[in-house]
């Protein structure tokens, strides 16, 4: 099975990057299953129904998220009725939405699990490691593949998680930092892993935002209003091909001048 995992898509510029580069990536890699983190897809913060539908129309199979999932108020009206939209599974059980799903594609069953780290994230969540154990026990006998989006700030937490689930999950990809890491690898027991895929969106930006405001914040300590940067686009993704004979992993980076 060929998986394409796309990191945080940032606002309209991110959606433009998908329109610009996804068709050629699909043609080259022929993915069977596409997972995309969409928590920044609407104006840089959260996701709306319109943007969710726009992403699905690009043949994205599942949209994951993280700490920005509830930023757009309208999310409460549709998250419960969209099985292809996930929020971190280790949110309190009362939180709207679901943290994992099982999806059938090309005759195979794929569990996609969305989890969020706790270091430097500021949201009181259940332990993502133990939550994985719980979900793994529920799904392991009924699926062919398990894919995890681990949405977290600390590289150490993400890497520890990768090793913790090595041999149980097939693919673990990190999101949230918006900056790609060059550590894609197949872990010793066979899990394809990357600490962070990096953003899909504006190339010239501070984690997706126009640089002026973040610079002002660092210089003055005053609150600022972030705005998604425009212009040249960057597309970043992780491709994993897994069969009983082999695992291939490849980091993809395509950009405009
Ligand atoms: Fe995030």
């Amino acid at each position: 099975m060929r998986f394409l995992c796309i990191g945080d898509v940032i606002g309209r510029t991110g959606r433009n990057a998908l329109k610009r580069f996804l068709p050629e990536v699909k043609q080259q890699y022929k993915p069977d299953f596409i997972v995309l983190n969409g928590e920044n897809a609407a104006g840089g913060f959260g996701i709306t129904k319109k943007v969710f539908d726009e992403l699905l129309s690009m043949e994205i199979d599942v949209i994951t998220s993280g700490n920005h999932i509830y930023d757009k108020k309208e999310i409460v009206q549709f998250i419960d009725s969209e099985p292809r939209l996930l929020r971190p599974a280790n949110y309190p059980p009362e939180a709207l939405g679901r943290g994992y799903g099982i999806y059938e594609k090309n005759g195979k069953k794929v569990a996609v699990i969305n989890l969020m780290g706790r270091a430097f994230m500021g949201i009181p969540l259940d332990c993502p490691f133990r939550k994985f154990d719980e979900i793994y026990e529920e799904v392991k006998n009924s699926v062919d593949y398990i894919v995890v989006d681990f949405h977290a700030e600390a590289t150490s937490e993400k890497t520890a998680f990768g090793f913790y689930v090595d041999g149980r999950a097939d693919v673990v990809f990190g999101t949230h930092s918006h900056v790609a890491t060059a550590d894609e690898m197949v872990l010793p027991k066979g899990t394809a892993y990357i600490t962070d895929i990096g953003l899909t969106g504006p190339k010239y930006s501070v984690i997706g935002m126009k640089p002026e405001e973040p610079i002002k914040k660092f210089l003055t300590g005053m609150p600022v209003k972030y705005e998604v940067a425009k212009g040249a686009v960057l597309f970043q993704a992780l491709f994993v091909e897994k069969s009983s004979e082999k695992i291939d992993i490849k980091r993809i980076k395509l950009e405009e001048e």
Side-chain angles (χ1 to χ4, degrees):
M1 186 117 185
R2 292 183 295 270
F3 296 95
L4 184 70
C5 309
I6 302 170
D8 308 61
V9 170
I10 316 293
R12 188 183 299 275
T13 316
R15 278 138 48 214
N16 287 342
L18 291 174
K19 283 172 201 150
R20 168 76 177 77
F21 289 116
L22 190 54
E24 64 186 76
V25 169
K26 276 188 193 166
Q27 202 167 29
Q28 189 179 343
Y29 293 94
K30 301 190 172 36
D32 300 297
F33 199 92
I34 307 180
V35 187
L36 172 153
N37 188 300
E39 72 151 10
N40 303 108
F45 303 94
I47 187 164
T48 59
K49 180 74 169 75
K50 196 171 159 229
V51 167
F52 176 74
D53 289 341
E54 185 186 336
L55 293 171
L56 288 190
S57 75
M58 296 182 208
E59 296 172 325
I60 306 298
D61 293 289
V62 177
I63 295 173
T64 54
S65 65
N67 53 307
H68 289 295
I69 181 62
Y70 302 114
D71 282 7
K72 295 278 185 279
K73 281 197 186 99
E74 64 172 86
I75 190 82
V76 300
Q77 274 136 40
F78 73 94
I79 191 167
D80 272 336
S81 55
E82 295 292 352
R84 292 160 78 184
L85 177 59
L86 301 179
R87 51 102 171 129
N90 52 329
Y91 263 74
E94 293 77 13
L96 295 182
R98 70 209 80 209
Y100 71 97
I102 295 174
Y103 309 92
E104 214 165 332
K105 194 83 188 280
N106 300 349
K108 299 286 181 191
K109 281 186 178 167
V110 180
V112 180
I113 306 171
N114 195 181
L115 289 162
M116 197 160 109
R118 296 194 291 186
F120 314 115
M121 295 299 284
I123 299 176
L125 297 176
D126 294 341
C127 173
F129 292 66
R130 292 184 181 91
K131 181 53 81 173
F132 175 85
D133 293 341
E134 203 182 301
I135 299 169
Y136 179 72
E137 288 306 317
E138 276 171 42
V139 303
K140 69 176 183 187
N141 294 324
S142 49
V143 300
D144 299 291
Y145 297 95
I146 297 177
V147 177
V148 182
D149 174 356
F150 194 77
H151 195 78
E153 181 73 29
T155 51
S156 56
E157 191 178 14
K158 293 180 191 180
T159 313
F161 180 82
F163 279 95
Y164 184 70
V165 305
D166 184 18
R168 293 190 286 164
D170 294 285
V171 183
V172 173
F173 65 91
T175 56
H176 179 70
S177 79
H178 298 189
V179 177
T181 55
D183 64 342
E184 73 278 10
M185 66 182 129
V186 177
L187 297 174
K189 293 177 192 162
T191 296
Y193 172 83
I194 189 167
T195 298
D196 207 298
I197 293 174
L199 66 79
T200 281
K203 176 178 170 180
Y204 299 112
S205 69
V206 176
I207 62 167
M209 301 295 146
K210 282 183 184 166
E212 294 80 1
E213 294 300 310
I215 290 171
K216 200 159 116 192
K217 189 176 179 186
F218 282 108
L219 286 174
T220 65
M222 303 277 290
V224 294
K225 193 174 180 296
Y226 293 122
E227 219 181 296
V228 174
K230 296 185 175 119
V233 300
L234 169 64
F235 175 97
Q236 301 185 101
L238 183 76
F239 173 74
V240 176
E241 179 166 14
K242 185 157 188 186
S243 66
S244 47
E245 297 87 46
K246 62 163 189 175
I247 313 171
D248 279 338
I249 180 165
K250 192 177 180 338
R251 188 158 42 92
I252 300 168
K253 183 181 184 187
L254 297 166
E255 61 199 303
E256 289 177 340
E257 290 301 311

